[in-house]
Amino acid sequence: MTAAWDLVIKGGTVVTPSGRSVADLAVAGGRIAAIGALDGIPAGAKASAVDARGMVVVPGGVDAHTHLAMPFKGGTTADDFASGSRAALLGGTTTIIDFAAPGPGGSLEKGLDAWHRKAEGESSVDYGFHMTMVGAPERSLREMDRLVRQGVVSFKLFTAYPDRLMSDDGAIFKALRRSRDNGALVSVHAENGPVIEALTREALAAGNRAPRFHALTRPMAAEAEAAARIIALAEMAGAPVYIVHVSAAASLAEIRRGRKRGVVVLAETCPQYLYLTAEEYERPGFEAAGFVMSPPLRPKGNETALWQALRDGEIQAVSTDHCSFFMKRHGRSPCKEDGRKDFSRIPNGAPGIGARMLLMWDAVQKGRITAERFVEATASSPARIFGLHPRKGNLAPGADADIVVIDPRKTHSFSASNNNLNVDYEPYEGRTVHGAVRDVFLRGRPMVRHHALVARAGGGTFLRRIPR
Ligand code: URP
Ligand code: ZN
Ligand code: ZN
C-alpha cells in the first residue's frame, strides 16, 4: 500500500476547518491517500518526501471570484488565464471560479464556449466558471438548465451597471426561481444601479471628476438596499442566494435580517474590503484610480464589522474579485488613464488573485481569525458552496491533493515587481505580511517548490461542479 504513494509531506501542522494537528500527509495518484500522526506513516518505497516540520499545511486556496481575460470596451483586462493563474499558484490558490460572460446574441452557451477557449491549456490552476446573466428571458433560463448539466452550476446577475449588465427585479426573481428547480446557485452583485447613475450624473455636472467621486457616488446604502431587495426576491423564489463582494456593514445587517426570516443567504467579502479603506482615494495625482472598483472601498471603521462577521462565520467566503486593468496605456487594453478626466470612465476593478491567501494568513498570525477559519473561508467553504466538495478545499483521503505549505516564520512584501501579474501596479505595494507560500501541489504535482514555480504552465483542468 505505502509503496504506491507518490509523495509524503512530513511533519507539518495540518489545518482543516475542524482543527489542526502535526501530521504526515500521503498522496497517491493525485489524491490524498492518508493523513496520520507524526511517524505514523512510513514513506513508501517510491514516495518522495517533503519536510514540512515547522510549516503549516493547508488545502489549496479556492478563489470563487475572478475576472481573467475579461472583455471590456474593445479590449480585455490586463491579466489572462496564463498570468492570473501563475500568480494564483505562487500565492497558494489552486482553484479559481471565473466569470464567463454571454456570447453573441446574449447566448450563455456561446459565452461558455469562449471561456473554455480562454482557459484551456492556459490556466495553471484548476478552474470552473460561473455564468453571468443579463436579464432572464426564457431562452436564457433553458440555457441555464443545460449549463447546470455541464457542471456550470452558478450564475451571477447584477443590480448595478444599468448601461451594460443590470437585470431588473423580475429577471433576478425568475433566475432565482429557476435555480430552485435546477439546483444552480444564483449570486448577485448588489448595488442600486439607477441611484448610482443619478448620483454620478450630478457629480459630473458639478465638475466633480476625480477618482474619489467614484466612491462618493456609490454609497453604502446603495449596497444595503440592493442586498435587502435581493434577499426578499430569494425569499419569494424559495431559493438560496449568494451575495458577492459584500463591502458594507449595513449589508451585513440586511443579511442577518434575512437569515432570521429563514432565507438562505450566503455572503462573500474580499481582502480589499477588510484591509483597505476609502483613504486610498485621497492618494495624490491619479493614483487613486488603482482603487476604483465596485463596490468601492469604504470609510475607515466599516471594516471592523466585516472582520467580526468573518470571525463569526456570518461571511462564508473570502474571494478576490480580481479584475485588473493597467494604470497606463498598453496597446488597445482599456486602462485606468481612460478616466483621468471623468471618474465614471475608469474601468472598475483591481488585482488581488495572488495576494489573498497571504493577506488572510497574516490575519491568523495577528490573531484576527483562527487558522481553522482561514481554511474555511479561503478554501473549504467556497468549495462546498460552489459544488466542488469533497474534491477541493478538503484535506481528507480521497480529495484532490491540492496542498499548500506555508512558512509562518518568513515574511512576504507585496509589490508590482513580484506579483507575477501583467498589470502595472499593486494595490498592496510595500505591505509586508507574516507568512510565505513555500510549496504548492496541484493534484499531487509539485507546482511551486521553495517559493518558485517548478511546473509546466497550463496544466489546470476544467472542473464540472455538482449542483446543490
Ligand atoms: O469593480 C469590479 N468589481 N469589477 C469587476 C466586476 C464586478 O462587478 O465584479
Ligand atoms: Zn460584481
Ligand atoms: Zn467581480
Side-chain angles (χ1 to χ4, degrees):
M1 174 66 187
T2 56
W5 292 342
D6 307 314
L7 170 72
V8 181
I9 298 171
K10 292 186 70 69
T13 298
V14 176
V15 188
T16 69
S18 55
R20 61 191 105 164
S21 61
V22 173
D24 299 340
L25 203 152
V27 174
R31 292 179 183 221
I32 295 173
I35 303 179
L38 195 64
D39 294 332
I41 302 176
K46 286 198 303 181
S48 57
V50 169
D51 183 359
R53 284 172 301 172
M55 303 290 143
V56 178
V57 179
V58 295
V62 176
D63 185 350
H65 192 149
T66 67
H67 301 274
L68 297 173
M70 185 188 86
F72 188 76
K73 294 205 170 157
T76 53
T77 45
D79 288 287
D80 53 16
F81 279 85
S83 64
S85 66
R86 180 179 61 208
L89 263 184
L90 282 153
T93 289
T94 50
T95 295
I96 59 172
I97 311 180
D98 198 79
F99 285 90
S107 159
L108 306 189
E109 284 163 321
K110 283 187 188 146
L112 179 62
D113 288 347
W115 252 259
H116 275 297
R117 287 194 296 275
K118 287 170 196 275
E120 203 178 329
E122 294 293 320
S123 182
S124 297
V125 297
D126 285 352
Y127 56 92
F129 301 122
H130 311 282
M131 177 50 70
T132 303
M133 290 176 71
V134 185
E138 192 49 43
R139 192 188 79 167
S140 297
L141 295 172
R142 281 196 299 271
E143 283 189 299
M144 196 180 176
D145 295 342
R146 293 200 289 273
L147 260 57
V148 170
R149 292 198 285 273
Q150 294 172 43
V152 174
V153 299
S154 44
F155 296 80
K156 180 184 183 190
L157 293 96
F158 291 74
T159 62
Y161 306 123
D163 50 336
R164 294 185 295 124
L165 295 167
M166 191 173 86
S167 294
D168 63 23
D169 292 353
I172 296 174
F173 173 75
K174 281 188 210 158
L176 281 161
R177 205 161 52 172
R178 194 70 164 220
S179 77
R180 181 195 63 188
D181 300 331
N182 66 20
L185 178 64
V186 166
S187 69
V188 185
H189 174 132
E191 283 187 298
N192 185 315
V195 168
I196 289 165
E197 187 175 58
L199 291 172
T200 302
R201 279 182 206 278
E202 267 177 41
L204 293 174
N208 295 328
R209 300 182 157 257
R212 69 195 171 89
F213 288 99
H214 169 78
L216 295 173
T217 54
R218 304 185 89 94
M220 292 197 275
E223 183 184 306
E225 181 280 329
R229 186 158 32 101
I230 289 159
I231 293 165
L233 294 173
E235 185 173 22
M236 289 184 271
V241 68
Y242 180 94
I243 305 187
V244 295
H245 48 47
V246 172
S247 73
S251 304
L252 290 172
E254 298 299 344
I255 290 167
R256 243 170 252 137
R257 259 196 283 280
R259 285 178 182 157
K260 270 210 182 105
R261 302 199 301 275
V263 190
V264 178
V265 189
L266 301 156
E268 163 197 279
T269 193
C270 312
Q272 53 269 35
Y273 303 118
L274 294 163
Y275 281 97
L276 304 175
T277 71
E279 285 177 359
E280 304 296 344
Y281 298 121
E282 304 306 325
R283 284 176 180 243
F286 194 58
E287 269 181 48
F291 300 87
V292 166
M293 61 187 81
S294 294
L297 300 177
R298 301 305 192 182
K300 199 166 173 49
N302 172 75
E303 75 283 5
T304 312
L306 295 178
W307 279 111
Q308 189 59 48
L310 182 60
R311 270 193 291 279
D312 294 348
E314 286 188 329
I315 288 176
Q316 280 72 43
V318 176
S319 311
T320 60
D321 195 8
H322 174 98
C323 186
S324 59
F325 290 100
F326 291 112
M327 285 294 284
K328 304 260 178 273
R329 180 152 307 289
H330 287 252
R332 285 179 60 243
S333 300
C335 63
K336 299 282 184 181
E337 279 290 332
D338 296 340
R340 189 172 265 278
K341 294 194 177 122
D342 172 351
F343 70 86
S344 71
R345 293 181 182 275
I346 300 171
N348 283 202
I353 196 167
R356 178 185 72 125
M357 293 289 276
L358 283 181
L359 283 167
M360 299 317 296
W361 179 257
D362 191 57
V364 175
Q365 298 217 179
K366 292 208 166 80
R368 292 178 116 161
I369 55 171
T370 63
E372 290 80 2
R373 272 305 285 145
F374 164 85
V375 166
E376 212 163 22
T378 60
S380 308
S381 162
R384 267 182 198 282
I385 291 169
F386 289 110
L388 290 168
H389 181 81
R391 206 177 149 187
K392 299 293 187 187
N394 185 23
L395 290 185
D400 280 3
D402 298 347
I403 302 161
V404 171
V405 178
I406 295 175
D407 185 340
R409 288 185 302 261
K410 282 216 157 143
T411 58
H412 178 84
S413 297
F414 297 108
S415 169
S417 63
N418 70 5
N419 70 7
N420 303 294
L421 291 165
N422 294 338
V423 70
D424 55 357
Y425 76 101
E426 166 57 52
Y428 301 97
E429 187 71 44
R431 185 183 291 255
T432 298
V433 287
H434 293 276
V437 172
R438 192 190 77 172
D439 308 312
V440 180
F441 302 88
L442 175 67
R443 285 176 271 109
R445 274 184 300 140
M447 306 301 285
V448 175
R449 291 288 281 125
H450 301 288
H451 314 282
L453 270 183
V454 292
R456 182 183 60 82
T461 59
F462 172 65
L463 299 167
R464 284 176 74 101
R465 294 179 289 124
I466 307 161
R468 284 181 296 111

